[in-house]
Amino acid sequence: MADIEMSQFLEQWLEDVKSISVDLTPKDQAEITKAGAKVMAERLTDVTNAKHRSHHNDKTYGHAADHISYMAKDVDGETNGSSTVGWDNHYHAMNMMRLNDGYRGHPGDHFVTNLQQDKATSEAVLRAESEKYQELINDKKGDDD
């Protein structure tokens, strides 16, 4: 290894860190959050099935647990680094909101809120995002190590 001054080494290291972590585009950020959104959608599907699966055969809308989706965009459809998880039609979204929050005479069971605040779910989402982040860093960094 060539002799290099500590200050030069640290400056180069800082430049590498900045180029890898700070210069993520909104598209890269959206890829990271999409990995977490996928995990959240899977868990939301599981909890919706467990708590609110009915035997009613609705030929028009189907069951809410079968219509949970995620996208690497915000609620307005813009790619800004965020991702969104939810029901893909208004009918299910409104029904699930009523079940979660409650309405007159029917207390809510807060299944969505509890899932969002669940530590295991948060850790799983962060783990998926971290893995995707590491993958993007390795792709940007290349195989020069």
Side-chain angles (χ1 to χ4, degrees):
M1 180 181 233
D3 290 334
I4 187 169
E5 292 291 322
M6 182 59 118
S7 62
Q8 291 173 329
F9 173 79
L10 289 174
E11 286 176 20
Q12 182 59 44
W13 175 80
L14 184 59
E15 289 301 315
D16 290 345
V17 169
K18 283 182 182 177
S19 70
I20 292 171
S21 61
V22 178
D23 295 336
L24 289 175
T25 65
K27 185 178 177 185
D28 292 337
Q29 293 171 12
E31 284 185 50
I32 293 167
T33 58
K34 184 178 177 183
K38 180 180 178 188
V39 171
M40 185 64 171
E42 291 167 356
R43 291 192 176 221
L44 185 57
T45 299
D46 292 344
V47 76
T48 304
N49 271 322
K51 293 192 174 250
H52 296 290
R53 186 64 151 183
S54 67
H55 298 292
H56 175 71
N57 185 14
D58 188 333
K59 298 196 187 310
T60 304
Y61 294 107
H63 194 274
D66 300 331
H67 291 276
I68 295 172
S69 62
Y70 62 95
M71 63 180 177
K73 298 178 180 184
D74 68 3
V75 294
D76 296 325
E78 296 177 18
T79 302
N80 59 10
S82 62
S83 292
T84 309
V85 177
W87 285 272
D88 56 17
N89 68 45
H90 184 71
Y91 174 80
H92 291 306
M94 293 303 294
N95 283 340
M96 294 300 108
M97 182 189 72
R98 287 184 195 100
L99 289 172
N100 184 68
D101 299 344
Y103 54 98
R104 185 182 301 196
H106 295 85
D109 67 358
H110 309 293
F111 74 105
V112 176
T113 306
N114 291 340
L115 181 67
Q116 291 168 335
Q117 295 174 353
D118 181 49
K119 185 177 180 181
T121 300
S122 297
E123 289 174 356
V125 167
L126 288 173
R127 193 175 316 109
E129 289 177 347
S130 175
E131 289 170 5
K132 188 62 175 180
Y133 178 69
Q134 288 298 324
E135 182 183 313
L136 287 174
I137 286 175
N138 291 339
D139 289 348
K140 282 186 174 231
K141 196 170 157 184
D143 294 328
D144 57 355
D145 291 319

